[in-house]
Amino acid sequence: MNKRVFCAALCALTMALPVCAATPTALVIHGGAGTINRDALTAEREQAIRAALDRALDAGHAVLAAGGPALDAVAAVVVVLEDSPYFNAGKGAVFNAEGVNELDSAIMDGSTQRAGAVAGVHRVRNPVLLARAVMEQSPHVMLVGDGAEAFASAIGMALVEPAWFRTEERWQQLQDAKARASAQVALPRSYYFGTVGAVALDSNGHIAAATSTGGMTNKRWGRVGDAPIIGAGTWADAGCGVSATGWGEFFIRLHVAADICARMAYRGDTLTAAAESVVLQRLPAMGGDGGVIAIDGQGNIAMPFNTAGMYRAWIKPDGSRGTAVYANP
Ligand code: ASP
C-alpha cells in the first residue's frame, strides 16, 4: 500500500489524524437548480431526493477515501444520479418535442485538462460513462447523436431501450409543455429541473468535474445546452473545477464554468468571489438563471445559485457533510 493510499485509508477512519492534513479531499454534487415548487415538493419526495443525493455522495466519497482519483469519484456520483428517477439525467430525464429522451453529458480531468462529452444520445444508460470513454478511448472530445451511439457499440457499451429513461411525471410535463407552447404560455423552470453534476478534489490534489442532463422539456431541432459544452457547463483545471445547472443558452454565452476558474487563475480571485460574481451578477444581468458547484485546490467549496433552490450535497475536507435544497438548508 503506498503512502497516499495508506493516508487516505487512515483519513477514512479518523479525520483527526495530522497525517491527513496534507491530503484533503472534497466532494460537492448537485441535482439541478430552479424554481422548486414548495407545494409539489412533499416531505416524502424531498426526503427521497435527499436520500438519493446522499447515496451519490457516498459513492463518490468511497472512491476518494480509498485514495482513488477525482475522475472516478465524479463518475461514480453521476452514475447514481443518472439511475435515479428524481433527476433530469438518465432515467427520469425530460422529453424532447418528439417524445424522446435526448441526453447530454461531459466529464473533465483537471490535472491533464483532458475532457470527453456526448450530446443527443437516446440509448446510453449512463451518458457520463460514454463521455469518459470518448475522453479515454477516442482521439476526440465530443461525439453527438447516432455517431456517439455507434462509438458506444464499438467499444462494447450495451445500449438500453429508450423506455428505460421514461417516467410518467416527465411524460405529463411534456404534454403540459406542448399545451403551454400552443397557448404561448411560458414554461415553468421546474419542467427542466434536475440536471446533475459533481466536482471532486482527490488525495493527489487533482480536481475533476462531470455533468449530465436531459436538457430542456419540449426542446427541438437537436438543441444542446451547456452541460456537455466544455467550459460552459463543465470545467476542471489544475486549481479549480465547476459543474453548472440552469438555463443553458446563457451558460454557453458566458462560458460560465471556465470563466469562474479563469478569474481565479488570472486575477487571483478566491473561489467564492469568482463563482459568486459570475452566478449572482453576470448571469442574471444577461437574463440567465441557475447555479454552480465548484471546488478549488485547497478543498474550498462554493455553491452559489440565483434561483429559489438548488439540490446540492457536499463533504468538506474536515469530513463534515450536508445536503440542502433552498438557500437556507
Ligand atoms: N443546463 C441544462 C441545459 O440547459 C438544464 C438545467 O441545468 O436545468 O440543458
Side-chain angles (χ1 to χ4, degrees):
M1 190 185 282
N2 71 34
K3 182 171 167 269
R4 239 179 254 287
V5 173
F6 177 68
C7 179
L10 281 179
C11 287
L13 291 173
T14 168
M15 295 307 296
L17 289 176
V19 69
C20 298
T23 58
T25 66
L27 179 62
V28 60
I29 75 178
H30 72 77
T35 309
I36 302 173
N37 181 343
R38 284 189 191 247
D39 298 332
L41 186 62
T42 60
E44 294 76 52
R45 189 176 169 88
E46 182 175 336
Q47 206 181 7
I49 290 170
R50 284 184 190 254
L53 289 171
D54 258 329
R55 273 200 310 282
L57 203 58
D58 286 340
H61 183 60
V63 173
L64 298 175
L71 200 61
D72 288 359
V74 295
V77 167
V78 172
V79 163
V80 171
L81 297 175
E82 284 176 338
D83 283 349
S84 164
Y86 293 111
F87 304 98
N88 175 17
K91 192 181 195 66
V94 301
F95 286 92
N96 70 10
E98 284 78 45
V100 175
N101 303 107
E102 200 164 74
L103 311 167
D104 306 333
S105 182
I107 191 165
M108 188 160 186
D109 177 2
S111 63
T112 58
Q113 279 188 229
R114 288 193 310 159
V118 293
V121 295
H122 303 134
R123 293 184 301 151
V124 178
R125 173 171 168 166
N126 294 112
V128 71
L129 298 183
L130 185 58
R132 183 169 182 175
V134 171
M135 178 176 92
E136 293 179 333
Q137 298 179 50
S138 91
H140 308 300
V141 169
M142 187 171 198
L143 300 179
V144 303
D146 292 346
E149 290 184 356
F151 170 71
S153 299
I155 61 167
M157 189 174 276
L159 298 177
V160 294
E161 287 302 315
W164 163 260
F165 304 106
R166 181 195 164 103
T167 62
E168 189 54 29
E169 184 185 350
R170 293 300 193 186
W171 183 252
Q172 290 310 326
Q173 281 181 353
L174 175 65
Q175 308 318 312
D176 193 46
K178 283 180 178 292
R180 285 170 189 262
S182 5
Q184 298 191 323
V185 177
L187 212 55
R189 271 290 286 147
S190 56
Y191 277 36
Y192 38 86
F193 193 54
T195 290
V196 307
V199 187
L201 170 71
D202 67 26
S203 57
N204 281 317
H206 296 159
I207 296 171
T211 314
S212 186
T213 188
M216 289 179 148
T217 307
N218 205 22
K219 64 187 180 183
R220 292 188 289 172
W221 307 312
R223 181 265 183 190
V224 176
D226 60 310
I229 307 295
I230 299 303
T234 308
W235 179 262
D237 59 29
C240 169
V242 177
S243 169
T245 170
W247 194 339
E249 278 69 10
F250 292 92
F251 282 73
I252 293 172
R253 291 165 59 199
L254 286 170
H255 211 222
V256 163
D259 185 26
I260 291 169
C261 296
R263 282 163 184 261
M264 294 182 66
Y266 301 154
R267 301 195 340 168
D269 284 7
T270 64
L271 180 77
T272 301
E276 289 188 351
S277 51
V278 173
V279 173
L280 304 182
Q281 291 168 23
R282 291 198 82 205
L283 196 57
M286 193 182 262
D289 65 0
V292 303
I293 53 168
I295 283 183
D296 69 14
Q298 282 68 53
N300 294 306
I301 288 174
M303 305 176 281
F305 52 94
N306 63 28
T307 48
M310 179 168 80
Y311 294 135
R312 58 203 188 278
W314 61 89
I315 300 185
K316 294 185 177 172
D318 66 4
S320 62
R321 65 186 280 165
T323 61
V325 177
Y326 302 103
N328 299 316

